[in-house]
Every structure is written in C-alpha cells, then in structure tokens.
Amino acid sequence: MTPTALIADDEPRLREELADLLACAWPGLRVVALVRNGREAVERFESLQPTVCFLDVQMPGMSGVEAAHHIGRRAHLVFVTAFEHYAVQAFERGALDYLVKPVQPLRLADTVSRLRERIDAVAPVHHTEELLRQLAHQLQRSGRPPGLRWLRAQVGAALRLIPVDRIDYLRADSKYTVVAWRNDEGAVSEAVVSVPLKDLLAQLDPGQFVQVHRSAIVNLGSISHVVRGANETADIHLKGRSEVLRASRNFTYHFKQMQ
C-alpha cells in the first residue's frame, strides 16, 4: 500500500517547500493534503487517514501538539518547529520525530529512513498521550521568550508605557495593532503600536492572553462571559466595556466549557 502524508503549516510557502523536499527524499510517498492549521489537519486526517502527519508545532487556532492529541496513535507524527530547543526528551528518545525549519535535506532523509523502517516493519506508532502531554508542557515553559510586562504605545501625541496586565485586548488594524487598555484610574483607553499582532502573541503569556480571531487577542482576565454564536463562533463580552469580540470557529476551543 502506498504511504500517504498530510502537511500542516500556517505558512503556505513552507508547506509547499516541505512537499517538494519529500518528493525528492521519499518518491514513494503521496502527499494527500496541505493544510494551514491544526483544526484543518484533524478534519482532513479523519477523511483521508494518512500514514504520516507533518505538524507545525505553532499554528494559529489549534496547534500541532493539540492536533496530535486528536490524531493519537492512528498515524506516525513528525513535528516541525522553528526552534531547536523544542527537541525535548520525547524527541531525543526517538518516540516522537521532529524537523527544524528551514528543513535540511539530510535531516529529512534521516527522518524518512526511520519512518520507512517503522512502516515496512508494521511497527506500532510509538508516541503516547503521556509523551504528548510532556511535550505540550515543555513547549509552554520553554517555547516562548519571557512574557512582556510593559508595552510602549502611542496614545495621542504621547508615548506611554502600558502595563501588559492592564490590556483587555489587542486588535490588528492595517499595519498597526490597536491596544485596548485601562489607565491608572481604570478608565478604558486605546493606544497604537507598530508591532504586528502575530509578533505580540509570541511574546505574551499564553496563560493570560489567547488569540480568538486572526485579528484579535484577548486577556482572559478581562472576559465577563462568552455566548455561543452561529457556525461554531462565539461572542466575547468584556468587563466594563461595550465592545463584543467575535471568536472565529478556529479559536472557540478556548471556550469549550461555555454554556
């Protein structure tokens, strides 16, 4: 039976590059799906049942590690990461394989060799839920730089130093990011920074701030309540603010407990 593969990465160019590299390193492999996030990876996996899944560790919405939890032991997993230090104990033991971006042909050849041996030997998939939990914990601890504590932002004609814990949400606006925050008196205010939303997300504490839309990040502590919307979306109501943020279907998993 011809082995098949799924590639999940939020960067289209990187998806295509990995597919091209695999065509050279493993001519007998058929890539059956190129997807942009973990949610799509899980959906396409269920319909196509590929032999191998190449999952980018960090993707908007559902991450590669979260997608791996859904896929479980039904496929061989290879994690793709931009950070060398993601090679944690689970990788080093050979139970989970990984590639570092930009993917090098020699490293990919080693990975392909191991995968082919396992497939030809009809070897069981090695990874376990416990290893995936360890990986998720390790990535949360070491996968991001220290969280931001202050944000320099333009408020009118003044440059303000805003404490991150006073930020209610951030919203992408053209080339800028709008910061919705509260001043020393607790009054709501807005400021503008030139840092892209994606770059800010990488620096914020994931236990405090979550992405709820491709153009919005919210402080979990600022949420009053969440109301389920149509088409698997949700409306996020904030404490002391009239704005209602929309959580798109790729991000409503943050609010699984909502009524």
Side-chain angles (χ1 to χ4, degrees):
M1 183 179 296
T2 301
T4 56
L6 173 150
I7 298 173
D9 196 304
D10 61 322
E11 296 288 343
R13 179 178 58 83
L14 297 179
R15 293 196 299 266
E16 297 289 348
E17 285 182 359
L18 181 53
D20 291 341
L21 288 170
L22 281 168
C24 296
W26 195 351
L29 179 72
R30 184 164 60 93
V31 176
V32 293
L34 299 174
V35 301
R36 59 186 176 179
N37 55 48
R39 180 189 181 90
E40 291 183 2
V42 172
E43 291 176 350
R44 298 303 300 277
F45 175 82
E46 295 297 345
S47 62
L48 298 172
Q49 298 288 304
T51 316
V52 186
C53 293
F54 294 85
L55 304 173
D56 185 16
V57 168
Q58 288 185 307
M59 292 182 286
M62 184 184 292
S63 71
V65 177
E66 291 168 319
H69 277 289
H70 289 272
I71 295 169
R73 299 167 67 92
R74 294 178 291 168
H76 296 275
L77 302 181
V78 179
F79 288 101
V80 185
T81 172
F83 303 97
E84 185 76 49
H85 57 256
Y86 277 177
V88 295
Q89 185 179 10
F91 290 149
E92 293 167 352
R93 287 164 51 184
L96 293 171
D97 213 332
Y98 75 102
L99 296 167
V100 176
K101 301 177 185 180
V103 176
Q104 301 299 315
L106 288 178
R107 178 70 181 86
L108 179 60
D110 290 340
T111 297
V112 166
S113 178
R114 283 191 293 273
L115 289 169
R116 295 182 68 171
E117 287 178 4
R118 294 169 187 166
I119 293 169
D120 290 345
V122 198
V125 176
H126 288 291
H127 60 268
T128 66
E129 286 298 310
E130 178 57 30
L131 284 175
L132 290 176
R133 281 193 292 271
Q134 291 176 16
L135 175 59
H137 178 68
Q138 183 69 19
L139 297 184
Q140 186 175 22
R141 291 179 56 196
S142 64
R144 295 172 180 264
L148 281 177
R149 295 182 60 193
W150 303 86
L151 195 61
R152 293 179 177 85
Q154 192 75 30
V155 182
L159 183 66
R160 292 291 301 267
L161 198 59
I162 300 174
V164 166
D165 58 8
R166 291 188 186 174
I167 296 173
D168 290 325
Y169 66 90
L170 302 102
R171 185 185 74 249
D173 184 11
S174 186
K175 297 180 180 179
Y176 302 95
T177 298
V178 175
V179 182
W181 65 293
R182 298 170 191 266
N183 63 21
D184 295 340
E185 290 73 41
V188 296
S189 184
E190 286 193 353
V192 175
V193 296
S194 58
V195 182
L197 191 73
K198 183 177 181 180
D199 292 351
L200 287 172
L201 179 63
Q203 301 176 64
L204 293 167
D205 179 358
Q208 182 179 8
F209 290 88
V210 297
Q211 187 168 16
V212 296
H213 191 277
R214 66 179 182 179
S215 62
I217 297 169
V218 68
N219 184 341
L220 292 174
S222 298
I223 296 176
S224 166
H225 59 284
V226 179
V227 178
R228 190 185 302 276
N231 299 320
E232 300 182 58
T233 62
D235 291 330
I236 301 170
H237 296 258
L238 303 167
K239 300 173 183 176
R241 282 186 175 272
S242 60
E243 305 98 302
V244 176
L245 302 181
R246 174 61 56 90
S248 64
R249 61 183 299 188
N250 285 340
F251 300 96
T252 52
Y253 71 92
H254 291 300
F255 311 108
K256 285 183 178 178
Q257 301 304 317
M258 66 184 180
Q259 299 299 318

